[in-house]
Amino acid sequence: MKKKSLILTLVGGLLLTHVNAQNIEKLRMGFNKMEFGMFIHFNMGTFHEKEWVEPGQDPMSFNPVDLDCKQWAKAARSAGMKYAVLTTKHHDGFCLWDSETTTYDVASTPLKGRDIVREYCDAFRSEGIQPDIYFSIWDRTLGIEDSITAQDIVVIKRQLHELLTNYGEFRCIVFDGWGNCGTKWTQEDHDEIYNYIKSLQPNILITDHYQLRRGISKDEAYKNVDIFHYEEPWGEWAPEGNVYASQQGPTIQSQWFWKLSFPDESLMSVDDIVNKHIKVLRERNCNFLLNCAPNRKGLLDDNVVKRLAEVGEAYKNLK
């Protein structure tokens, strides 16, 4: 896979912007008031019956013929969701925006000329819902795996610069693939990228899927992220008495990315969503981030849209 030429000197250089501890705590409190959000796993895996699709797929296979982010946003609003998180890039490295770092992106698909990240942000903001993003450090198509090199960090920064300067302000960025999957990193790597993100968006909150699995204390882990992310399918749950700003995410369907069987499968129940998750987690300082996977047409299945509307009615009455 040919890479587009990389501009090694980043615009404006690296300005280390430090958000003071008082402001971080204010941002954390505001984040947990959001309470309920939509995780959206939609990427190359959607079209290949895989959770972790192999790298270097034919971009032309990514072809959501009826893509409508407004439909996703309206369904999220009907459920009472206040924010969303989109998989802008998963572990295989496919980018839902036109990136200068690779041709493995939406510009090489039948959708060329469209920007899914832009459409997502515009659609959710128009419904009064905060759009946020997920980003995989692990990029198997560009070979960002194993030990991260200085050149890898250049590529990562370029992609983050594109995402964090072209689509308005985000409240949260969720990292994955950094240590828990295919990459190894040093504290210096982490700090360089963390500080770079804060230089672009000082008020963004950073989390990743790895910090709670490092075998260190939560107090120590909390120094590396602004909020915790509990990945429920891995058996992670925000504990009783949790004092750390957090979010927890399972799936309304049986897996993260859409599968051919999904339209005929049962979904997480209204009671499970509202009473066994939202109600429980609100008492544990933890948002509920429910994954709802769009199908290959680029739409949420009818059963998901219906269930989210049912959730919204029950959520209104939650005490």
Side-chain angles (χ1 to χ4, degrees):
M1 171 82 48
K2 263 178 127 179
K3 299 180 188 178
K4 296 175 186 174
S5 60
L6 294 175
I7 301 173
L8 300 183
T9 303
L10 297 168
V11 178
L14 179 58
L15 302 174
L16 296 181
T17 303
H18 298 284
V19 181
N20 64 55
Q22 185 176 7
N23 191 46
I24 283 283
E25 286 308 312
K26 182 178 177 181
L27 292 169
R28 284 167 168 162
M29 289 174 62
F31 175 77
N32 274 134
K33 288 179 181 177
M34 309 270 285
E35 191 167 80
F36 187 26
M38 178 184 282
F39 211 172
I40 305 168
H41 272 65
F42 182 68
N43 206 283
M44 189 60 77
T46 306
F47 296 84
H48 294 274
E49 287 288 295
K50 289 279 186 77
E51 293 292 85
W52 290 4
V53 72
E54 294 301 311
Q57 299 293 325
D58 180 358
M60 294 300 287
S61 66
F62 184 92
N63 187 22
V65 294
D66 295 322
L67 176 66
D68 186 1
C69 296
K70 292 179 181 178
Q71 187 238 18
W72 308 352
K74 289 182 184 300
R77 187 184 66 175
S78 77
M81 293 167 165
K82 297 181 179 66
Y83 75 113
V85 176
L86 174 67
T87 54
T88 61
K89 186 183 77 162
H90 204 248
H91 304 323
D92 61 298
F94 183 78
C95 299
L96 295 184
W97 76 100
D98 182 7
S99 175
E100 290 296 323
T101 65
T102 183
T103 56
Y104 192 50
D105 62 18
V106 71
S108 300
T109 75
L111 292 181
K112 57 181 135 186
R114 294 180 67 176
D115 182 334
I116 296 177
V117 178
R118 171 81 59 202
E119 292 182 25
Y120 155 74
C121 289
D122 289 348
F124 278 76
R125 287 189 178 116
S126 71
E127 294 294 335
I129 300 170
Q130 169 65 40
D132 292 314
I133 56 174
Y134 162 112
F135 180 91
S136 175
I137 291 285
W138 189 21
D139 187 324
R140 299 167 71 198
T141 294
L142 291 184
I144 299 176
E145 49 191 342
D146 301 320
S147 296
I148 294 178
T149 67
Q151 181 66 12
D152 291 337
I153 291 180
V154 169
V155 175
I156 292 165
K157 283 184 178 179
R158 282 287 296 157
Q159 293 183 345
L160 290 171
H161 187 273
E162 292 167 348
L163 287 169
L164 298 177
T165 61
N166 289 324
Y167 302 102
E169 289 192 9
F170 297 116
R171 185 177 290 241
C172 173
I173 181 169
V174 178
F175 279 122
D176 196 5
W178 189 320
N180 62 319
C181 299
T183 62
K184 300 182 181 71
W185 57 280
T186 66
Q187 189 65 44
E188 289 73 22
D189 295 333
H190 172 278
D191 292 347
E192 182 174 353
I193 292 175
Y194 182 97
N195 287 329
Y196 182 66
I197 291 169
K198 296 291 186 177
S199 78
L200 299 175
Q201 292 205 19
N203 291 329
I204 198 169
L205 296 170
I206 302 170
T207 188
D208 74 62
H209 287 195
Y210 180 56
Q211 287 301 325
L212 292 171
R213 304 174 198 165
R214 291 181 62 199
I216 61 177
S217 72
K218 286 187 176 180
D219 283 344
E220 192 67 24
Y222 212 43
K223 297 175 183 177
N224 281 320
V225 291
D226 300 317
I227 55 177
F228 283 148
H229 182 92
Y230 290 92
E231 197 170 2
E232 190 177 323
W234 282 82
E236 297 174 355
W237 260 85
E240 290 185 42
N242 175 51
V243 296
Y244 306 98
S246 308
Q247 66 185 6
Q248 180 172 311
T251 62
I252 196 170
Q253 297 134 320
S254 59
Q255 291 183 288
W256 294 107
F257 284 105
W258 189 85
K259 304 294 184 297
L260 291 169
S261 61
F262 276 11
D264 299 317
E265 288 183 3
S266 61
L267 303 173
M268 184 182 287
S269 71
V270 173
D271 180 63
D272 199 352
I273 293 169
V274 176
N275 294 312
K276 297 177 183 175
H277 279 84
I278 297 174
K279 185 175 182 179
V280 171
L281 293 174
R282 70 163 39 157
E283 297 170 356
R284 299 185 182 189
N285 202 39
C286 186
N287 290 354
F288 182 50
L289 186 64
L290 179 64
N291 189 71
C292 302
N295 60 34
R296 293 181 185 177
K297 291 182 179 181
L299 300 169
L300 292 172
D301 289 333
D302 290 342
N303 61 343
V304 173
V305 172
K306 180 182 177 183
R307 179 55 44 87
L308 290 177
E310 295 167 346
V311 165
E313 288 301 313
Y315 186 27
K316 287 177 189 176
N317 299 317
L318 183 64
K319 303 299 184 184

